[in-house]
Amino acid sequence: MFKVGDLIKFRANKTIFKQTAKLYKNPGVVMAVFDHNSGHPVSGRPTYSVYWSDGKKTTEHESYLEAINKE
């Protein structure tokens, strides 16, 4: 699980999301964490509001993100 302020990058299965991965300008920073089912602060499976280095903002599932600054 990521937290607000974590530096992340987009990662996905290269064959399925090859074109999609090109749309993300890594790195990104986690701006908010939400519950996938309700949109409220986390109580279950989270999704993340991400601000990318090109200024785009997206909401992503954890499975498509990888931490850059985790120890």
Side-chain angles (χ1 to χ4, degrees):
M1 182 176 201
F2 304 109
K3 63 183 186 303
V4 171
D6 279 350
L7 193 61
I8 51 89
K9 65 180 178 178
F10 183 83
R11 70 169 174 87
N13 181 318
K14 297 286 186 195
T15 57
I16 296 173
F17 291 102
K18 187 175 183 178
Q19 294 300 321
T20 303
K22 293 178 182 179
L23 301 175
Y24 294 86
K25 180 67 175 163
N26 290 313
V29 64
V30 175
M31 300 300 292
V33 183
F34 299 98
D35 184 291
H36 172 69
N37 297 320
S38 68
H40 299 327
V42 178
S43 63
R45 191 174 121 200
T47 57
Y48 301 90
S49 175
V50 179
Y51 183 76
W52 299 101
S53 61
D54 62 358
K56 291 181 185 174
K57 296 175 189 172
T58 63
T59 301
E60 304 297 334
H61 293 279
E62 188 170 36
S63 60
Y64 299 119
L65 302 174
E66 182 178 321
I68 292 175
N69 63 340
K70 294 276 185 184
E71 295 178 15

